Amino acid sequence: PVGGKGKGAQTEAVAGDIVDGTDPNEGGDEDLLEGVKAQIDGLVAAFRDPAIWKPALFLFLWQSTPTGEGAMLYFMTNDLGFGPEFLGRVRFVTALSSLVGVWAYQKYLRTIPIKDILFWTSIASAPLGLSNLLLITHANRALGIPDGAFVFGDDVALSILGELAFLPTLVLAARLCPPGIEAVLFASLMSIFNGASTVGTELGAALTKYLGVTESNFDNLALLTVICNVSSLYPLLLIGWLDGVGSKSEEEMETEGGEEGTAATATATATAKNVLDVAAPPDMKGEY
């Protein structure tokens, strides 16, 4: 058989190396170490470039702002009396809403510069996040809006905005990667993104404890909500760090990069979407 003939030739070649006193695997480990060292050196050199570390630091700061989602979950379950079934429905509806966000981005925002999308989605998200004050103070009831309807409407809007802001960051991360170290740098940027989410969660937990918000005491929950939402705007002071690659739209990037760049961006975006679903912040995934 053809397969057996191929195996025989390979065996003979290896046996010949052994007879000659040479190791067929010799140099493999050294080549691997050299490849790893080259990747590390390239990664360090890349992060020394202001065109890379400035956008990366901006994304870290933008993603690491504190969140009060944990305290709000206690409020909705212990004060408003929402059960697992209702919260599951909210999660399902917000998941569908995120698909609307993906469609809206592909349909209307691919020609808009990434920097502008991040700026305006952040501006729009702040007042929507502050609308939780109506729920916390029960002012929505005075306006004739049931608690459940208010939660559904608020979460749908925030889920769509979160998706509109999330997708451009993936495109930006993919376009920051120089040739030769694309995989290593992209993975590093996604690790920074995930680490920033963890920092934001921990900062929110520290604020919750400092303000004395517990599963039964919500006296300062309104203040916590204000702090978290207002602090989400401070990274916009550094939006200029995205000048350059962030000033271009996804469509312009694809036009400049050609078909190869388009395929690379699409592959990187899909991969990062799957990875970040594990550690994405609540507002990005449309859940509590």
Side-chain angles (χ1 to χ4, degrees):
V2 176
K5 184 177 180 181
K7 284 186 176 180
Q10 185 178 11
T11 303
E12 290 177 4
V14 173
D17 290 336
I18 295 175
V19 172
D20 292 337
T22 59
D23 184 357
N25 295 321
E26 184 178 1
D29 293 340
E30 293 181 0
D31 293 341
L32 177 61
L33 291 176
E34 289 179 1
V36 171
K37 184 178 182 300
Q39 291 291 315
I40 294 175
D41 291 341
L43 184 63
V44 172
F47 275 109
R48 288 177 177 173
D49 185 355
I52 293 178
W53 71 256
K54 283 186 176 182
L57 181 56
F58 174 84
L59 291 179
F60 178 87
L61 296 175
W62 179 71
Q63 189 67 14
S64 64
T65 54
T67 174
E69 295 294 333
M72 279 300 299
L73 177 61
Y74 279 122
F75 176 76
M76 285 189 291
T77 55
N78 296 344
D79 188 275
L80 300 181
F82 293 154
E85 182 179 355
F86 177 81
L87 295 178
R89 292 174 182 172
V90 172
R91 180 175 181 177
F92 175 73
V93 171
T94 52
L96 292 179
S97 302
S98 67
L99 297 180
V100 176
V102 174
W103 172 82
Y105 174 79
Q106 293 292 333
K107 182 73 174 178
Y108 300 108
L109 299 182
R110 290 183 70 252
T111 58
I112 307 299
I114 291 175
K115 184 173 70 172
D116 293 344
I117 297 175
L118 293 179
F119 180 84
W120 289 112
T121 52
S122 298
I123 293 295
S125 295
L128 279 175
L130 289 173
S131 66
N132 278 331
L133 294 175
L134 297 176
L135 191 67
I136 295 170
T137 59
H138 302 298
N140 61 294
R141 298 174 182 175
L143 297 174
I145 305 174
D147 294 338
F150 186 91
V151 170
F152 269 112
D154 189 63
D155 276 38
V156 165
L158 286 174
S159 178
I160 293 174
L161 278 176
E163 203 68 35
L164 293 179
F166 181 55
L167 294 176
T169 62
L170 300 183
V171 177
L172 180 63
R175 287 298 175 175
L176 287 175
C177 302
I181 58 168
E182 298 95 331
V184 176
L185 183 56
F186 189 82
S188 299
L189 291 173
M190 292 301 99
S191 297
I192 291 173
F193 201 89
N194 288 336
S197 299
T198 303
V199 171
T201 301
E202 295 301 320
L203 288 175
L207 275 173
T208 301
K209 182 177 181 180
Y210 177 77
L211 294 175
V213 179
T214 65
E215 67 274 9
S216 58
N217 182 7
F218 305 109
D219 293 341
N220 289 325
L221 181 57
L223 178 59
L224 175 65
T225 301
V226 171
I227 293 175
C228 290
N229 281 277
V230 172
S231 65
S232 68
L233 297 176
Y234 89 86
L236 298 181
L237 298 174
L238 306 174
I239 194 74
W241 285 0
L242 297 184
D243 288 343
V245 64
S247 299
K248 301 176 183 178
S249 66
E250 180 181 353
E251 191 171 84
E252 290 173 334
M253 293 178 182
E254 291 179 355
T255 301
E256 293 178 0
E259 294 182 358
E260 183 178 352
T262 302
T265 299
T267 301
T269 302
T271 302
K273 177 65 175 175
N274 292 332
V275 172
L276 289 173
D277 271 344
V278 177
D283 58 331
M284 294 299 181
K285 294 173 66 177
E287 62 187 54
Y288 292 100

